[in-house]
Amino acid sequence: MTHIHPTAVIADGAQIGAGCKVGPFCVIGSDVVLAERVELKSHVVVDGDTHIGADTVIFPFAVIGEIPQDLKFDGQKTRLRIGARNRIREHVTMNTGTTQGGGETRIGDDGLFMAGCHIAHDAQIGDRVIVVNSSAIAGHCIIADDVIIGGLSGVHQWVRIGQGAIIGAVTMVTKDVVPHGLVQGPRGALDGLNLVGLKRKGVSRADITALRAAFQMLKDGEGTFQDRAHRLAEESDSTYVQEMVAFILGDTDRNFLTPG
Amino acid sequence: MLALIAGTGDLPLALLARLPVRPLICAMDGFRPAITPDVTFRIEHLGSFLADLKTRGITEVCMAGAVKRPSIDPAAIDAATQPLVPRIADAIAKGDDGALRTIIAIFEEAGLAVKAAHEIAPDLLPDAGVLTRAPITFDHRQDAVLAEQTLTEMGRADLGQSCIVRGGRVLAREGQAGTDAMIARFGPESDPLWAAVDGIGTVLGKAAEWLSGADGEPSDARGAILFKGPKPDQDRRADLPVIGLQTAKDAVAAGFAGIVITYDGVMVLDLSAVIKTLDNAGLFLWVRPKGGA
């Protein structure tokens, strides 16, 4: 059964799914779609062309779907799509996209966005991503599945972070991070692999060994970083290594963090 | 003034060649270093030996070369050594690193600084990289990762400094008998009888490996890597691993793909001869930075 607190302000046209709970002083815009069982605790603002997936819970003072913080934005109708079962904590802000950036900011399923973090326009966030308190993901970033971004960290615009990577706290990431990478330090050094994450995920020892060998080959093999990636593609048949290679050889607007 | 406590092998000679002044050469009774010792001592007389060193004006010692654990004759323990007996017994009961840490502590408490061999001869620690012509493949890199993990696990138990790995499988771990004995298990070319049955043995061995799974006793190590490195947190002042020309020859005889040593953790005696031997046989020598991921 849907519960809407009498102090909530819901614009005409907003679609509220079955079983939703909209708490006190929430404000919901006319183009908003809440899927089943979405819960807005209280004082939550959801605006713009924003769809929120089932069972997502949004905590007080979060502002979801406001216009992008981009001087080029001129009122175009852009979107924010949020998947299912996300937990969006207090004071989180998530903006809609920009026309230049494709028009859509996208959040996957099962994410945890801790208090005070920001997801900027056109960011593409995968499934099961965790963004810890007060971290900021800048515009156009691509954050793949299972990434963890530590507290008080920043991700520069257009940066890609590969699947399963982990970013330490108080870290500024200005370059692409390979899948399963471990980045830490104030200026974001690639220090190794997220071995704990790989083990927790149940990745086989053989695949972890292959990834570690790949990482070391990327670090000290012959030729350029790209040369080493091409050689890896030829020599390793590990799926995980091939994913890493595909990431490195894929299109990007930024350089890579390379093993130090 | 320095005292060189020499064990067997070529390391003491290599150090002697690099020292501007001949040190006092000491050796434990029962071991025959390549250099004629000035002083020999028994472990039962360690206390007296330490006092003798002080009397001779020795201020620092360097332990170099291989030494096996001595047996102790309780009846031979002298008065000066009596207070040390519990610690010596404790040391002998420990693994190599634990034993050496105790021995180092005894020397230091006697007022003698313990100097590492690589401090005397830093050139014995080669630069990182592949020093030979033969290339390393991704499979070798994977085997090196596994070998490093294996040595880490062995090191936690204070066991051995080398292992042999091929194709994601650990074929051998160094035991009390040392690296040479471990490699010797895989040296069929040195045995004429082996050579005669080599072909059949290879086939049977591979079948046995396949049947026995990962824990079966391997029949040969052709194409494997020999990985050698120090134990994690090892006291580097004694027993830093060493390879030399004989290691290279043994690796060739065993049909290894190459030798991987930990950068800044393994000394190489006669590096140019080692490289030449490996190059001639198409093996690699990879001085690999530790870890990396």
Side-chain angles (χ1 to χ4, degrees), chain B residues 16 22 30 50 60 121 164 174 193 205 244 258 285 291:
Chain B
L16 193 60
R22 181 184 162 92
L50 291 172
E60 54 186 6
I164 297 168
E174 180 186 320
L193 185 61
L285 174 62

Side-chain angles (χ1 to χ4, degrees), chain B residues 7-19:
Chain B
T8 56
D10 294 332
L11 180 59
L13 268 177
L15 297 184
L16 193 60
R18 287 164 173 81
L19 286 165

Side-chain angles (χ1 to χ4, degrees), chain A residues 209 213 217 231 235-237, chain B residues 136-146 165-168 223 225 284 286:
Chain A
T209 298
M217 186 162 162
R231 196 171 155 208
E235 294 190 13
S236 173
D237 53 8
Chain B
I136 51 171
T137 67
F138 185 71
D139 287 343
H140 298 140
R141 287 180 180 275
Q142 290 192 99
D143 285 343
V145 170
L146 176 59
V165 175
R166 180 184 61 199
I225 61 164
F284 60 79
W286 178 18

Side-chain angles (χ1 to χ4, degrees), chain A residues 205 210 212 215-216 231 235, chain B residues 136 138 142 149 288-289 291-292:
Chain A
R205 183 168 180 168
R212 293 182 69 173
F215 187 89
Q216 192 156 53
R231 196 171 155 208
E235 294 190 13
Chain B
I136 51 171
F138 185 71
Q142 290 192 99
Q149 291 169 346
R288 177 182 180 270

Side-chain angles (χ1 to χ4, degrees), chain B residues 147 150-151 154 159-165 169-188 190 217-222 224-229 242-243 246-247 250-251 253-256 258-260:
Chain B
T150 303
L151 277 200
M154 291 164 62
L159 294 170
Q161 296 173 318
S162 64
C163 62
I164 297 168
V165 175
R169 183 179 175 205
V170 181
L171 303 182
R173 295 172 174 82
E174 180 186 320
Q176 286 284 349
T179 305
D180 293 347
M182 176 182 69
I183 302 174
R185 286 172 46 193
F186 303 103
S190 62
E217 190 71 11
S219 61
D220 74 80
R222 273 165 281 199
I225 61 164
L226 167 66
F227 190 104
K228 188 151 188 163
V242 180
I243 67 167
Q246 191 57 48
T247 318
D250 290 345
F256 293 159
I259 300 173
V260 186

Side-chain angles (χ1 to χ4, degrees), chain B residues 223-249:
Chain B
I225 61 164
L226 167 66
F227 190 104
K228 188 151 188 163
K231 296 166 187 167
D233 307 320
Q234 173 176 333
D235 192 319
R236 292 166 58 88
R237 289 174 294 175
D239 200 28
L240 204 63
V242 180
I243 67 167
L245 185 55
Q246 191 57 48
T247 318
K249 288 177 177 174

